[in-house]
Amino acid sequence: MTDRDLINMAVEASKNAYAPYSRLGMGAALECTDGTVYTGCTVENAALSSSICAERAAVCAAVAAGKHRFRRLAVYAANSMSYCTPCGECRQVLSEFSPEVELLCVRSDGRYVSYKLRALLPNMYSKEHFE
Ligand code: ZN
């Protein structure tokens, strides 16, 4: 699967985003190490802290299917010319499973930049802190 294939799945997921407050319309496509892909979209709520990001929605779908190892995550912002990186909470959730996951951050015109999660979340808090 190419980066563009994964991005196209994130774009498709963004079409179901419920984002009346931010209007960002985010979609995410998460590729597991076995090649399967799970998608998610933003689900906002009037009680803003009850909202869930597209990235975490995709992680929850993958975990619900028994997948815990991720290779790449494409995150698409339908209404932004910024390269939207995952928020801090999503970075932390991704780090639980795959600290080395690659992030493809896609803006509305389809251009994207790539980061390693570890670069965006240095010295991450992890399960190793419990050992
Ligand atoms: Zn987030």
Side-chain angles (χ1 to χ4, degrees):
M1 173 175 291
T2 66
D3 285 356
R4 188 55 61 187
D5 293 334
L6 195 64
I7 289 167
N8 288 340
M9 294 178 80
V11 170
E12 201 58 35
S14 76
K15 294 175 182 173
N16 291 327
Y18 177 74
Y21 307 105
S22 74
R23 302 187 199 294
L24 278 176
M26 305 285 288
L30 181 64
E31 180 186 33
C32 301
T33 54
D34 67 0
T36 55
V37 176
Y38 295 88
T39 60
C41 64
T42 301
V43 182
E44 293 182 346
N45 188 279
L48 294 177
S49 65
S50 297
S51 299
I52 186 162
C53 301
E55 301 94 309
R56 276 181 288 135
V59 169
C60 289
V63 172
K67 306 298 171 74
H68 294 174
R69 301 288 302 153
F70 312 137
R71 181 181 300 138
R72 285 182 297 177
L73 172 77
V75 58
Y76 171 73
N79 299 312
S80 177
M81 284 300 284
S82 295
Y83 297 107
C84 291
T85 56
C87 74
E89 193 170 345
C90 287
R91 294 177 196 189
Q92 182 62 41
V93 168
L94 286 162
S95 77
E96 178 76 13
F97 302 103
S98 296
E100 304 302 328
V101 69
E102 180 181 9
L103 307 170
L104 308 177
C105 304
V106 191
R107 62 185 201 184
S108 59
D109 67 357
R111 297 186 68 177
Y112 70 99
V113 293
S114 172
Y115 300 98
K116 288 289 191 181
L117 175 62
R118 192 172 291 285
L120 298 183
L121 190 64
N123 303 313
M124 57 185 66
Y125 191 81
S126 72
K127 51 191 162 195
E128 295 164 4
H129 288 87
F130 292 98
E131 295 172 356

